[in-house]
Amino acid sequence: MFSPQHAFLEYLSKNNMAATEQRRVVLEVFLGTDGHHSCEELYMQVCKQDPTISPATVYRTVKLLAESGIAESLDFGDGVTRFECRYNKQHHDHLVCVRCNMKIEVVEERIEDLQESLAQKHGFTLNRHKMILYGICARCRDA
Amino acid sequence: MFSPQHAFLEYLSKNNMAATEQRRVVLEVFLGTDGHHSCEELYMQVCKQDPTISPATVYRTVKLLAESGIAESLDFGDGVTRFECRYNKQHHDHLVCVRCNMKIEVVEERIEDLQESLAQKHGFTLNRHKMILYGICARCRDA
DNA sequence: ATAAATGCAAACGCTTTGCGGGAAT
DNA sequence: ATTCCCGCAAAGCGTTTGCATTTAT
């Protein structure tokens, strides 16, 4: 009832979709790799578990994970869509090191509040936002 | 001395690049269309002025505009890179209506400050950031 | 039995690139 | 004269899709 696995099964049955072995494997791999991963990266992991699963199935399944709210898609601007787990996780933004690509998840309530009032000031009902901070991390600067 | 045209010529000569008619036309079109435009959109405008100019040249020239600091590339997440004029314009972020695609340029100094201190708190030297707020504009909500 | 999901390979949309002829320096 | 640039067409990239077959319901 409170696991992402269960949530996914519920989403599938609610939409008359089949609970296939491939979908189970993709979800398992997705949950097992924390961080922010592309479909290609996930596919490589999936292959280790079952080499007969195709890239197309990974793309298709990850899209379902996003639609069901278990995954969230991220665009760091390098042409690749990445995904992170959103299940039972609070919203956060990202701090990205432009040198080593390290990514830190950050939250700043005051920014969120200001975004909301900024949107309101312009008559907008805010749905969501994307905020990515690019810089150089401490380790790279000292290196 | 203070026009984008001059700045571009200077950038070109500094890098041993030729001041061609095509580059002049692309710059002129870019400066003449305010807002946020894709290379394809710019190409269509360019064609009206000179139908012999190729898409490839538009892509190549716009890239030069970005490298020279006259243009800035924007990624609103729909798979198309757009460009806006950066010459003598202050930094700003964007508010995007997810329904009609209207885009408003916004600035909130307090957010900028909080971003800076948030980065510092994590040991980052901040280079730049991307912030896009997605929502529904007043007109679309009332419609 | 029906409807849906899979693997495969081809197609997609945006963008970049190799090439030979042509233009700027 | 040399270097750089252009237009063209082809390739590149991550991702999506049509199709015939296999699988879940």
Side-chain angles (χ1 to χ4, degrees):
Chain A
M1 190 62 94
F2 295 99
S3 71
Q5 286 87 349
H6 187 96
F8 192 40
L9 289 175
E10 203 161 88
Y11 173 82
L12 291 176
S13 87
K14 222 169 246 169
N15 291 277
N16 295 318
M17 292 169 156
T20 64
E21 176 63 12
Q22 289 92 333
R23 286 174 177 165
R24 198 194 58 75
V25 171
V26 172
L27 173 59
E28 226 43 66
V29 164
F30 175 71
L31 295 173
T33 63
D34 59 341
H36 322 92
H37 296 282
S38 66
C39 283
E40 192 185 347
E41 288 166 348
L42 293 171
Y43 168 63
M44 291 191 301
Q45 291 299 319
V46 164
C47 269
K48 292 185 191 163
Q49 207 143 332
D50 179 348
T52 72
I53 295 178
S54 72
T57 293
V58 175
Y59 278 97
R60 286 190 273 233
T61 305
V62 168
K63 184 182 251 186
L64 293 181
L65 293 178
E67 285 165 12
S68 69
I70 292 167
E72 178 169 11
S73 76
L74 303 173
D75 177 6
F76 291 121
D78 62 349
V80 190
T81 302
R82 285 158 218 282
F83 296 85
E84 73 178 7
C85 188
R86 218 192 90 89
Y87 192 83
N88 280 343
K89 284 197 66 175
Q90 67 170 341
H91 160 77
H92 57 260
D93 296 298
H94 294 91
L95 196 46
V96 181
C97 178
V98 295
R99 210 166 280 173
C100 69
N101 274 317
M102 198 235 319
K103 291 161 185 93
I104 297 181
E105 304 180 353
V106 294
V107 193
E108 173 51 87
E109 244 355 285
R110 285 172 293 174
I111 291 182
E112 310 276 323
D113 292 345
L114 287 167
Q115 287 170 334
E116 183 62 44
S117 60
L118 183 57
Q120 276 180 24
K121 197 172 90 185
H122 290 90
F124 271 64
T125 305
L126 195 57
N127 284 356
R128 62 195 162 88
H129 69 261
K130 259 177 25 180
M131 186 175 86
I132 306 176
L133 308 180
Y134 298 93
I136 296 175
C137 73
R139 192 194 307 189
C140 283
R141 181 168 9 86
D142 300 340
Chain B
M1 193 61 95
F2 295 98
S3 71
Q5 287 86 348
H6 188 94
F8 192 38
L9 290 175
E10 202 161 87
Y11 173 81
L12 291 176
S13 87
K14 219 169 247 169
N15 292 278
N16 296 319
M17 292 171 157
T20 64
E21 176 63 11
Q22 290 92 334
R23 284 173 178 166
R24 198 193 59 75
V25 171
V26 172
L27 173 59
E28 225 43 65
V29 164
F30 175 70
L31 295 173
T33 64
D34 57 340
H36 322 92
H37 297 283
S38 65
C39 282
E40 192 185 348
E41 288 165 348
L42 293 171
Y43 168 64
M44 291 191 302
Q45 291 299 320
V46 163
C47 269
K48 292 185 193 166
Q49 206 143 332
D50 180 349
T52 71
I53 294 178
S54 72
T57 293
V58 175
Y59 276 97
R60 285 190 273 231
T61 304
V62 168
K63 185 182 248 184
L64 293 181
L65 292 178
E67 284 166 13
S68 68
I70 293 168
E72 179 169 12
S73 76
L74 304 172
D75 176 6
F76 291 120
D78 60 351
V80 190
T81 302
R82 284 158 220 280
F83 296 85
E84 71 178 9
C85 188
R86 219 192 89 90
Y87 190 83
N88 279 344
K89 285 196 66 175
Q90 67 170 339
H91 160 78
H92 56 261
D93 294 300
H94 294 92
L95 195 48
V96 181
C97 177
V98 297
R99 211 167 278 173
C100 70
N101 274 316
M102 199 235 320
K103 290 162 184 93
I104 296 181
E105 304 181 353
V106 293
V107 193
E108 173 51 88
E109 238 5 277
R110 285 171 293 176
I111 291 182
E112 310 278 323
D113 292 346
L114 286 167
Q115 286 170 334
E116 182 61 44
S117 61
L118 182 58
Q120 277 180 22
K121 197 173 92 184
H122 290 89
F124 271 64
T125 305
L126 195 56
N127 284 356
R128 62 197 162 87
H129 69 261
K130 265 177 17 181
M131 185 175 86
I132 307 178
L133 310 179
Y134 298 93
I136 296 177
C137 72
R139 193 196 303 193
C140 284
R141 181 167 10 85
D142 300 341

